């Protein structure tokens, strides 16, 4: 097949084969339908490689200038859509090589020196992910900010909420404290992704097919030009390693799990049974048959998308398991789970951020509910402990008091002095002093507790961290 302008497909190994590939093989091999999104990064790596070939004396001044101009033009044409992969292009690398051959003829083929698709694809995927991780972090920071803004509003109003364990009323908390719990989880996701970036910042370029190159390339210079910290220390590892893809998919899956837990809470909060919050019309859906319905689809999709993120991770790990060194074509399967994870997060996060920031909490209902279900029982028990009653005994006394209230259909605060004494002599009338939701919340003043001062400190620290993360994501 000719490599002059007008070529319709690029074949990389024509020399040793007598017949062309079978259609079924071509169709199976094809990855351009999903790896085309690596085009930008492939061209960046090609420009860096061209400069290295020039410094190695393998391209003269005119040749490198022509090649760089062609790469530049091709890059622009890819952006505008003027250049697109054709039906005959196998993958992004062959499509772009065709583009170069069409522009500069056989000079385009010179770029293949010292480089293989094996180190190329590993480099492209790292570049793509390092770029997109920053976009994901920016969106995570926006969701965190939406949660923090709600928290700040409700911290000012000291809005309480029934804190739950086992989905049963446990102890009252500040609504802000609960909202910030989600911000903490998302903060760990961001921290994990930033940490991921340190390990991902290794350049495979220069590893060639697997063994390095006999040409005087400069992997350090290429690494630096592409924003990597260093070139890979082992060329075999460099072309076989997909830890960066698996690790990213894990970080994405865990973020997905966090979003699903937030989504589930929002589904509950906005149900009639809870009635804690209402979804803004812009983020609610209706029913085609039931006119009264207002459904939390955004929260449900956030919950549901975790499944595909986890599935992508499991699929990728399964692909990698047992692969011998070095490159094997199985590795082509690394891209779709990675791309899908990026797409999924970039789709879910803005919707969830909008849902959270426009949600309206029902402070009155939350205040009523915060005290319900004998949620202040622990406060009475802890008061008795402060007076020297062993906790075991205090727990039992208050347990009896709760049963007494259940039998008489009343709240802890409604029990008369006499009845308190009948339940236990430890229950003096002043135990009522701790039977207040604001009092119970203010009393939980340990580090990380729900007392307003602690939540204020927590919010301030989170604001600072989120701002630093957003700056990091915008910079690099
Ligand atoms: N499309 C291939 C992939 O994604 C590029 C590398 C092909 N390398 C090879 N030796 N066939 O993995």
């Amino acid at each position: 097949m000719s490599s002059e302008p007008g070529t319709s497909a690029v074949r990389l190994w024509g020399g040793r084969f007598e017949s062309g590939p079978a259609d079924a093989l071509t169709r199976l091999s094809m990855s351009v339908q999903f790896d085309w999104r690596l085009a930008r990064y492939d061209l960046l790596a090609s420009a860096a490689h061209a400069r290295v070939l020039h410094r190695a004396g393998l391209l003269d001044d005119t040749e490198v200038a022509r090649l760089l101009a062609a790469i530049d033009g091709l890059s622009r044409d890819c952006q505008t859509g003027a250049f697109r992969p054709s039906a005959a292009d196998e993958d992004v690398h062959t499509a772009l090589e065709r583009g170069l051959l069409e522009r500069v003829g056989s000079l385009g083929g010179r770029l293949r020196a010292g480089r293989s698709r094996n180190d190329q694809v590993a480099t492209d995927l790292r570049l793509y992910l390092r770029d997109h991780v920053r976009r994901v972090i920016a969106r995570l920071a926006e969701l965190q900010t939406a949660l923090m803004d709600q928290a700040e509003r409700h911290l000012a109003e000291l809005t309480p909420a029934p804190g739950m364990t086992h989905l049963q009323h446990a102890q009252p908390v500040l609504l802000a404290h609960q909202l910030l719990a989600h911000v903490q989880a998302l903060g760990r996701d961001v921290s994990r992704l930033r940490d991921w970036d340190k390990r991902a910042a290794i350049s495979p370029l220069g590893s060639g097919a697997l063994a390095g190159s006999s040409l005087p390339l400069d992997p350090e210079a290429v690494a630096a030009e592409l924003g990597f910290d260093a070139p890979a220390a082992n060329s075999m590892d460099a072309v076989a390693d997909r830890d960066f893809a698996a690790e990213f998919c894990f970080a994405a899956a865990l973020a997905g799990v966090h979003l699903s837990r937030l989504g589930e809470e929002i589904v509950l909060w906005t149900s009639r049974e809870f009635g804690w919050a209402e979804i803004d019309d812009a983020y609610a859906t209706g029913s085609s048959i039931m006119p009264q319905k207002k459904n939390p689809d955004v929260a449900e999709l956030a919950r549901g998308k975790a499944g595909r993120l986890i599935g992508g991770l499991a699929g990728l790990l399964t692909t990698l398991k047992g692969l011998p060194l070095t490159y094997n074509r199985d590795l082509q399967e690394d891209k779709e789970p990675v791309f899908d994870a990026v797409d999924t997060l970039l789709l879910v996060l803005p919707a969830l951020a909008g849902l959270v920031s426009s949600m309206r909490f029902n402070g009155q209902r939350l205040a009523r509910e915060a005290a319900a279900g004998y949620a202040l029982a622990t406060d009475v028990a802890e008061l008795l402990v402060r007076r020297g009653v062993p906790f075991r005994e205090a727990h039992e006394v208050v347990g009896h008091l709760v049963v007494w209230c259940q039998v008489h259909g009343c709240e802890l605060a409604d029990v008369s002095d006499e009845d308190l004494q009948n339940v236990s002599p430890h229950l003096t009338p002043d135990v009522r002093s701790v039977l207040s939701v604001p009092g119970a919340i203010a009393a939980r003043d340990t580090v990380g507790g729900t007392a307003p001062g602690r939540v204020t400190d927590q919010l301030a620290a989170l604001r600072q961290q989120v701002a630093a993360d957003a700056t990091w994501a915008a910079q690099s």
Side-chain angles (χ1 to χ4, degrees), residues 308-374:
R308 62 192 296 155
L309 291 166
I310 295 166
L313 170 65
L316 178 57
L317 288 173
T318 311
T319 298
L320 297 177
K321 179 193 169 297
L323 277 189
L325 294 178
T326 55
Y327 180 85
N328 299 271
R329 194 59 182 276
D330 316 44
L331 290 176
Q332 183 164 293
E333 294 294 310
D334 62 354
K335 282 174 262 326
E336 284 164 293
V338 162
F339 295 157
D340 190 67
V342 168
D343 292 347
T344 299
L345 288 177
L346 293 181
L347 195 61
V348 171
L349 287 166
L352 211 43
L355 171 68
V356 167
S357 60
S358 60
M359 239 165 64
R360 284 174 302 278
F361 286 91
N362 182 340
Q364 277 175 358
R365 167 132 181 136
L366 279 160
R368 254 195 332 275
E369 287 297 305
Y374 310 109

Side-chain angles (χ1 to χ4, degrees), residues 31 35 90-91 93 117-118 121 327 329 331-332 335:
S31 60
D35 68 17
E90 179 185 313
D91 61 17
H93 321 290
R117 281 189 298 164
N118 298 354
V121 74
Y327 180 85
R329 194 59 182 276
L331 290 176
Q332 183 164 293
K335 282 174 262 326

